[in-house]
Amino acid sequence: MARVNIVERSFTKFLSKPPSVRAASRTIVLATATVVVGSGILMRLIDHKEYANVWVGMWWAIQTVTTVGYGDVTPAATSGRIVATFVMLQGIAFLAIVTAAITSTFVARATKAFRTEREEQETQLRQMEARFDELDRKLDRLEAALRGRDS
Amino acid sequence: MARVNIVERSFTKFLSKPPSVRAASRTIVLATATVVVGSGILMRLIDHKEYANVWVGMWWAIQTVTTVGYGDVTPAATSGRIVATFVMLQGIAFLAIVTAAITSTFVARATKAFRTEREEQETQLRQMEARFDELDRKLDRLEAALRGRDS
Amino acid sequence: MARVNIVERSFTKFLSKPPSVRAASRTIVLATATVVVGSGILMRLIDHKEYANVWVGMWWAIQTVTTVGYGDVTPAATSGRIVATFVMLQGIAFLAIVTAAITSTFVARATKAFRTEREEQETQLRQMEARFDELDRKLDRLEAALRGRDS
Amino acid sequence: MARVNIVERSFTKFLSKPPSVRAASRTIVLATATVVVGSGILMRLIDHKEYANVWVGMWWAIQTVTTVGYGDVTPAATSGRIVATFVMLQGIAFLAIVTAAITSTFVARATKAFRTEREEQETQLRQMEARFDELDRKLDRLEAALRGRDS
């Protein structure tokens, strides 16, 4: 239950204060690499029989974090399975954030055309202000001419 | 067939009345946690041989819902396989909604710049109305001047 | 090689003439259900030893299409492995389209606010046209007044 | 460590200079097909015992790249596991880019309505310029009429 709360709370926090796409991409790649190396070493320490050396641990970690999961190496003890759960959730976060980063880049590319059009509109709006100035000046001149004749 | 209909109908309903990103994220995390705990207990009840205790059931559920699927624990009976199908589909929904939530957050961040530009445009449009008022007043004064001389 | 061409061509075609989100969602759910049932039956026909009955075939198909892949049932013959390749690619398409449909729904929800703002801008622009009409009328009246005095 | 740097750097480069959706889709499909064929052949060369022929290698590659990972064929030697790591990461890239391409297509479809509205706004802005020209002409005529009477 507590673990679900942590997942939910950190996810909600992420959504309300989203980091920049580049920062998020950087963080997730580094975090995932750290999780692979760290959990590989941890598994070796927890279960000497299944994990003959650290490389077996990392081999297990990389296939778990990418959700491939061959099953040629699997944790049997409860402690190892708890570690595995975190590696699996890291895998989901990895896939989700990588996909989200690439998607938002594609979407931003697509909306670049919009940005150009918008800048054109802004230029048009600014030109209109110049037109207003011109009309103003002409009206002032007209009024001056009218009053000039009266005097 | 009926099951496909349920998947399709609930999916179509979801798309036509989309919940807020935060509500959807909250719901999917809680629903997935419930499915993991629930199906873990259910598997223990269905298959005493493969699932020695509830923790084995949850260990199977977490690796199924994350689509890792080592295959060290698998349901052999038909009833267990039907439960497994729901857990797998929940896994797809979990991955899809988490990815969608993060993506839409990134996209919203990217379009924030648009929002600022749009507010500037609105200011420009409002200033133009003030210019119209000014022109109006000048024309009224001109007309009054013209009529005043006639009388 | 030919198979890669088919995947690439149909994908390019999909991107250039995208169906509506709802139509795509409907199609992918039905297509995936068809692939699960169809490949389940096909596997039973191809490999009587590994697939004891149609239900084993479908059990294999559902865990393949969701990319869980326990490995408790796997095709050993080349023909079965070719079928499996299609089921796996269908699984990728399923996950990708479901994720895309949910994401675009979330993004559309977020841009609804934009739509309202845009409608307000349009109202402002239309009101400006009314202001132009008013200025026009006043100028016409001024001109008429000026000419009327001359005659 | 060096490998993480390569993943991170190429990912950051991808995000800062995003290719067109169509080019990215084409490249990822071809790259993935190349990785499946290439790693299938490579595995056969590295491990003659597990991989009896090239087809077994490709069968392993396709289930790895789609992250299904049955585990019926797995690399045991370190060299094979290093190759496998690249195939797994290619699988993540494949899924992420395919999902991103489809999502951005759906989002672009949804924003097409925006494009039409924007074109209408541009037409309105251009018509306003015509109105300014008209007002200008009328004021010039008024001024000419006023000056003509004086001479």
Side-chain angles (χ1 to χ4, degrees):
Chain A
M1 272 299 96
R3 217 186 305 157
V4 175
N5 268 347
I6 290 167
V7 170
E8 204 205 302
R9 234 180 308 153
S10 59
F11 190 34
T12 307
K13 199 181 151 195
F14 177 91
L15 292 181
S16 60
K17 281 195 185 180
S20 82
V21 172
R22 205 165 299 181
S25 308
R26 217 192 147 79
T27 306
I28 198 70
V29 170
L30 290 176
T32 306
T34 308
V35 163
V36 166
V37 173
S39 72
I41 295 168
L42 204 62
M43 280 318 218
R44 161 72 184 157
L45 297 175
I46 287 171
D47 185 346
H48 270 259
K49 223 170 63 185
E50 182 83 4
Y51 301 86
N53 55 58
V54 198
W55 304 111
V56 176
M58 290 195 196
W59 165 241
W60 164 83
I62 189 82
Q63 48 164 290
T64 300
V65 100
T66 55
T67 79
V68 170
Y70 291 126
D72 56 345
V73 191
T74 49
T78 306
S79 56
R81 288 178 174 179
I82 289 170
V83 174
T85 300
F86 282 104
V87 180
M88 288 170 195
L89 291 177
Q90 177 71 30
I92 298 294
F94 180 56
L95 182 54
I97 291 176
V98 166
T99 305
I102 297 174
T103 306
S104 70
T105 308
F106 281 174
V107 170
R109 222 189 109 104
T111 49
K112 227 175 222 171
F114 277 24
R115 198 163 294 215
T116 323
E117 279 176 48
R118 188 166 304 217
E119 272 160 25
E120 277 170 35
Q121 275 197 9
E122 227 158 294
T123 312
Q124 279 181 305
L125 285 172
R126 226 165 305 126
Q127 284 169 345
M128 282 195 183
E129 282 178 54
R131 301 300 299 264
F132 273 115
D133 289 339
E134 208 188 320
L135 286 180
D136 250 5
R137 251 182 326 226
K138 285 199 177 168
L139 277 172
D140 288 345
R141 227 155 55 207
L142 253 177
E143 202 174 7
L146 211 64
R147 281 179 205 278
R149 268 194 326 180
D150 291 352
S151 60
Chain B
M1 274 297 95
R3 216 186 307 158
V4 176
N5 268 346
I6 290 167
V7 171
E8 204 205 302
R9 237 182 304 153
S10 60
F11 190 33
T12 306
K13 199 181 150 193
F14 177 90
L15 293 181
S16 59
K17 282 195 185 179
S20 82
V21 172
R22 206 166 298 181
S25 308
R26 217 190 146 80
T27 306
I28 198 71
V29 170
L30 290 176
T32 306
T34 309
V35 163
V36 166
V37 173
S39 71
I41 295 169
L42 203 61
M43 280 319 219
R44 162 70 184 157
L45 297 176
I46 286 171
D47 186 346
H48 270 258
K49 225 169 63 186
E50 182 83 5
Y51 301 86
N53 55 59
V54 197
W55 304 111
V56 176
M58 289 193 198
W59 166 240
W60 163 83
I62 189 80
Q63 49 164 289
T64 300
V65 99
T66 56
T67 80
V68 170
Y70 292 125
D72 56 345
V73 190
T74 49
T78 306
S79 55
R81 289 179 175 180
I82 289 170
V83 173
T85 300
F86 282 105
V87 180
M88 289 169 194
L89 291 177
Q90 177 71 30
I92 299 293
F94 180 57
L95 183 54
I97 290 176
V98 166
T99 306
I102 296 174
T103 306
S104 70
T105 309
F106 281 174
V107 170
R109 223 188 109 103
T111 50
K112 227 176 224 170
F114 276 23
R115 200 164 293 214
T116 322
E117 279 176 48
R118 189 166 305 215
E119 272 160 27
E120 277 170 35
Q121 274 197 9
E122 228 158 294
T123 312
Q124 279 182 305
L125 285 172
R126 227 168 302 129
Q127 283 171 343
M128 281 195 183
E129 280 178 56
R131 301 299 300 266
F132 272 114
D133 289 339
E134 209 189 319
L135 285 179
D136 250 4
R137 250 181 330 228
K138 284 199 177 168
L139 278 172
D140 287 345
R141 228 157 53 208
L142 253 176
E143 202 175 6
L146 211 61
R147 277 176 210 280
R149 270 196 324 181
D150 290 352
S151 59
Chain C
M1 274 298 96
R3 217 188 305 159
V4 176
N5 267 346
I6 289 168
V7 170
E8 203 205 302
R9 237 182 303 154
S10 60
F11 190 34
T12 308
K13 199 180 151 193
F14 177 90
L15 292 181
S16 59
K17 282 195 186 180
S20 81
V21 172
R22 206 166 299 180
S25 307
R26 218 192 144 79
T27 306
I28 198 70
V29 171
L30 290 176
T32 305
T34 308
V35 162
V36 167
V37 173
S39 72
I41 295 169
L42 203 62
M43 280 319 221
R44 162 70 184 156
L45 296 175
I46 287 172
D47 187 344
H48 270 259
K49 225 170 61 186
E50 183 82 6
Y51 300 87
N53 55 58
V54 198
W55 303 113
V56 176
M58 290 193 196
W59 166 241
W60 164 83
I62 189 80
Q63 49 164 288
T64 300
V65 99
T66 55
T67 80
V68 170
Y70 292 125
D72 56 345
V73 191
T74 48
T78 307
S79 56
R81 289 179 173 179
I82 289 170
V83 173
T85 300
F86 282 104
V87 179
M88 289 171 193
L89 292 177
Q90 178 71 29
I92 298 294
F94 180 57
L95 182 55
I97 291 176
V98 166
T99 306
I102 297 173
T103 307
S104 70
T105 308
F106 282 175
V107 170
R109 224 188 107 103
T111 49
K112 228 176 224 169
F114 276 24
R115 200 164 294 213
T116 321
E117 280 177 48
R118 188 166 304 216
E119 272 160 27
E120 276 170 36
Q121 274 198 9
E122 227 158 296
T123 311
Q124 279 182 305
L125 286 172
R126 227 166 304 127
Q127 283 170 343
M128 282 196 182
E129 280 177 56
R131 302 299 301 264
F132 272 113
D133 289 338
E134 209 189 318
L135 285 180
D136 248 4
R137 251 179 333 225
K138 285 201 178 167
L139 278 172
D140 287 343
R141 228 158 54 206
L142 252 177
E143 202 175 8
L146 211 64
R147 277 177 208 279
R149 270 194 325 179
D150 290 352
S151 59
Chain D
M1 274 298 94
R3 219 185 305 157
V4 175
N5 268 346
I6 290 168
V7 170
E8 203 204 302
R9 233 181 308 153
S10 60
F11 190 34
T12 307
K13 199 181 152 193
F14 177 91
L15 292 181
S16 60
K17 282 194 186 180
S20 81
V21 172
R22 205 165 300 180
S25 307
R26 217 192 146 80
T27 305
I28 197 71
V29 170
L30 290 176
T32 306
T34 308
V35 163
V36 166
V37 173
S39 71
I41 295 169
L42 203 62
M43 281 317 220
R44 161 70 184 158
L45 297 175
I46 287 170
D47 186 344
H48 271 259
K49 225 170 61 185
E50 182 83 4
Y51 300 86
N53 55 58
V54 197
W55 304 112
V56 175
M58 290 193 196
W59 166 241
W60 163 82
I62 189 81
Q63 49 164 289
T64 300
V65 100
T66 56
T67 79
V68 170
Y70 291 125
D72 56 345
V73 190
T74 48
T78 306
S79 55
R81 288 179 173 179
I82 290 170
V83 173
T85 300
F86 283 104
V87 179
M88 288 170 195
L89 292 177
Q90 177 72 29
I92 299 294
F94 180 57
L95 182 54
I97 291 176
V98 165
T99 305
I102 297 174
T103 307
S104 71
T105 309
F106 282 174
V107 170
R109 225 188 107 103
T111 49
K112 227 176 224 172
F114 277 23
R115 200 163 293 215
T116 322
E117 279 176 48
R118 188 165 305 217
E119 272 160 27
E120 276 169 36
Q121 275 198 9
E122 227 158 294
T123 312
Q124 279 182 305
L125 286 172
R126 227 167 303 128
Q127 283 170 344
M128 282 196 182
E129 281 177 54
R131 301 299 300 265
F132 272 115
D133 289 338
E134 210 188 318
L135 285 179
D136 250 4
R137 250 178 331 219
K138 285 198 178 168
L139 278 172
D140 287 344
R141 229 155 54 205
L142 253 176
E143 202 175 8
L146 209 66
R147 281 179 205 279
R149 269 193 329 178
D150 291 352
S151 59

